[in-house]
Amino acid sequence: MVDELVRTGLARFEYQHILNHGPPSVLAALAVECGGDQGRWWDFHDHYMTTQDFSRDGAVALAASFSLDTDEFAQCLDSQKHLDLVEGQHRRAAEAGINSTPTVRINGEGGAVSDALIDQVLDLASELEAEEG
């Protein structure tokens, strides 16, 4: 459903880092961005977010399992190269009232995903399609 809405231009998918769990959230977000520097953003995200080891060593071990350049990855992580990016995303999300994931917003309003909210998205998509058709 989401793929179809995005494909048709009725919806837009965005990912924003939400740093609600203190330093482990920051480390996780930085690790994902550093994995992305080597072309493995989604792969790294999907695997790292299911781990129980949100340590620096855990992140570097996962990078090694993806055959990433671990020296480059560790340097990226240690330098906090993407800190401004992830903090900025968190700040903008908080300013928009987003404090959990996943969240759906319709015309600037929304909240945590629920059946009622999904129904609202589908109803709006149907209305928009009818207007275009």
Side-chain angles (χ1 to χ4, degrees):
M1 169 193 69
V2 172
D3 291 340
E4 179 67 15
L5 293 172
V6 170
R7 187 187 62 73
T8 61
L10 293 173
R12 184 177 68 219
F13 177 83
E14 291 183 7
Y15 184 93
Q16 303 289 316
H17 293 288
I18 306 292
L19 309 175
N20 287 348
H21 301 288
S25 292
V26 175
L27 179 70
L30 293 173
V32 167
E33 292 299 329
C34 291
D37 285 351
Q38 296 185 48
R40 302 296 297 269
W41 198 100
W42 278 114
D43 292 334
F44 201 89
H45 171 273
D46 290 349
H47 285 84
Y48 193 62
M49 294 304 157
T50 63
T51 186
Q52 298 300 311
D53 186 358
F54 290 104
S55 68
R56 178 197 181 277
D57 290 345
V60 173
L62 185 59
S65 77
F66 281 116
S67 300
L68 300 183
D69 179 328
T70 54
D71 289 336
E72 179 183 330
F73 180 88
Q75 181 180 19
C76 175
L77 198 57
D78 293 343
S79 70
Q80 298 188 332
K81 174 181 174 182
H82 298 289
L83 186 60
D84 289 344
L85 170 77
V86 300
E87 286 180 339
Q89 287 182 353
H90 176 76
R91 184 178 53 258
R92 286 187 298 280
E95 289 168 356
I98 298 169
N99 57 14
S100 65
T101 60
T103 298
V104 173
R105 294 176 59 80
I106 301 169
N107 296 329
E109 301 295 323
V113 173
S114 66
D115 289 341
L117 193 54
I118 295 299
D119 289 342
Q120 187 180 359
V121 169
L122 294 174
D123 289 346
L124 181 61
S126 293
E127 289 174 25
L128 292 171
E129 285 179 327
E131 289 174 11
E132 291 179 2

